[in-house]
Amino acid sequence: MSPIPAALVLLLLAAGPAAAADAFRVDGLPRGETLSIRETPDAAAPALGQAPPGARLRGFGCTAETPSGLTWCRVKAGQILGWARRRYLSPE
């Protein structure tokens, strides 16, 4: 068995925590509103779907490196995989 190159070990360690899914619940929306799941982390991006208040989403990391400077998270709601504003996601 050959040893694993150090660069590969570092890459795997760095990717490990990012690959883990977080659980979020949709929270803090104005009354009667739903959370848009968007194609890219931008409010002008096409909406792929909607999540109602209280819906449980799987999260795959968040970023503030967006056109608006706002924080968005990569989420999965059912079969929809897209981006949602972090402001409306509460950790579970």
Side-chain angles (χ1 to χ4, degrees), residues 6-65:
L8 180 58
V9 171
L10 290 175
L11 179 64
L12 292 173
L13 289 174
D22 295 317
F24 290 112
R25 187 153 311 267
V26 177
D27 188 32
L29 292 168
R31 186 181 195 110
E33 296 288 322
T34 57
L35 179 64
S36 294
I37 309 297
R38 300 199 175 270
E39 190 174 286
T40 61
D42 186 343
L48 302 173
Q50 304 292 321
R56 189 167 189 253
L57 309 177
R58 289 178 45 197
F60 301 95
C62 300
T63 184
E65 293 181 26

